[in-house]
Amino acid sequence: MYSIESLALPHGVPPDISLWRVDFAFDASLDNNAFASLSDEERARAQCFRRHEDALRFASVRVALREQLARHLGIAANAVRLTLDTNRRPHLADSDAYDFNISHAGAHGLIAMSPRRRVGVDIEQYSEKFDWRSIASLTLDAGEAAWIERLEVTQQRAAFYEAWVAKEALVKTTGVGITLGLQHLPVLPRDSVEVTLRNAIPDEMREIAARWIAAPEGYFACLAWSAKTFTR
């Protein structure tokens, strides 16, 4: 159905954060017992996808998430209750014991989790057919776009993906996004695994950190987290 692997994290990531990669098996059926822990709402949502691959991605990551939360909470996977907050961000319905975030693309998904802080994660699959300029104005600031244009053609698309996953992870950590758009979070040029915001930092990002993380060949990924821990 799927396999899951705990990932080593770059230097500087808080030790309370856990990260897993989920690898999908697209020949699986949603009727398999491996998906028995899905809620009725999750199962109905999976069945709404037109493509079987998309349904499997959603269902597999949700089951894997349920199993990890259940293991930490000491309950059965089907007893984990998830709901959405006012910003449509999933969270535990009965507890604030863990924050988590998920992302999936292609054959892989990521799950980030912490009992102490908010987390955000993003993974994207590289495509030679993708025209990064078609969404550059919605994703990059003028300086980033100009910097990418100065790169070799073979490097431009990869640089765009690096910016994209970093910005998505940062925004997903806040839970509210950024009102003005991703183009107001410049992170290029990249000079290390640490994500550095290059201009004036928006208020909602002042206590957020991020690192680019190793991803399977043909993928780009980033993990972000809040420096401020939960008060319980």
Side-chain angles (χ1 to χ4, degrees):
M1 273 40 72
Y2 66 87
S3 61
I4 186 168
E5 178 183 351
S6 178
L7 300 180
L9 297 175
H11 176 74
V13 176
D16 54 274
I17 296 177
S18 300
L19 182 67
W20 296 272
R21 190 187 74 230
V22 182
D23 301 327
F24 306 130
F26 292 116
D27 58 350
S29 168
L30 290 177
D31 295 328
N32 191 288
N33 286 338
F35 297 105
S37 64
L38 291 174
S39 68
D40 291 342
E41 185 275 333
E42 288 169 330
R43 192 172 298 279
R45 183 174 171 186
Q47 292 171 345
C48 286
F49 288 99
R50 293 186 177 182
R51 298 198 311 161
H52 179 69
E53 293 86 351
D54 294 331
L56 258 296
R57 289 186 189 98
F58 170 79
S60 298
V61 169
R62 278 302 180 99
V63 168
L65 171 65
R66 284 178 166 277
E67 290 178 348
Q68 294 305 319
L69 288 170
R71 182 169 63 86
H72 285 84
L73 296 171
I75 61 177
N78 61 3
V80 175
R81 294 184 62 244
L82 303 175
T83 188
L84 300 177
D85 64 19
T86 55
N87 298 302
R88 307 294 295 173
R89 190 179 191 270
H91 67 96
L92 286 167
D94 303 318
S95 170
D96 62 354
Y98 286 88
D99 189 64
F100 58 86
N101 197 238
I102 60 178
S103 180
H104 50 76
H108 306 286
L110 292 176
I111 299 173
M113 187 185 303
S114 173
R116 299 195 61 200
R117 68 192 77 238
R118 293 181 74 96
V119 289
V121 68
D122 193 58
I123 183 170
E124 300 291 341
Q125 183 178 21
Y126 182 92
S127 172
E128 290 284 356
K129 298 179 180 179
F130 176 62
D131 178 13
W132 64 269
R133 292 181 179 85
S134 66
I135 61 170
S137 63
L138 300 175
T139 313
L140 306 174
D141 86 337
E144 288 179 306
W147 182 79
I148 290 180
E149 291 286 5
R150 291 194 293 271
L151 297 176
E152 295 290 334
V153 173
T154 56
Q155 299 175 317
Q156 291 178 348
R157 192 174 286 109
F160 176 86
Y161 275 108
E162 289 185 332
W164 193 6
V165 295
K167 296 179 186 204
E168 289 286 353
L170 287 165
V171 166
K172 292 171 74 176
T173 304
T174 68
V176 298
I178 182 168
T179 304
L180 297 178
L182 296 180
Q183 67 270 32
H184 295 278
L185 290 176
V187 298
L188 296 178
R190 169 183 173 174
D191 52 19
S192 70
V193 299
E194 181 178 358
V195 177
T196 302
L197 290 173
R198 296 295 178 179
N199 290 351
I201 302 175
D203 289 342
E204 62 264 47
M205 294 292 167
R206 291 187 182 279
E207 295 186 343
I208 305 295
R211 298 288 188 278
W212 281 285
I213 57 177
E217 184 176 356
Y219 291 80
F220 295 85
C222 188
L223 171 69
W225 64 90
S226 63
K228 184 177 180 180
T229 57
F230 298 141
T231 55
R232 302 189 186 282

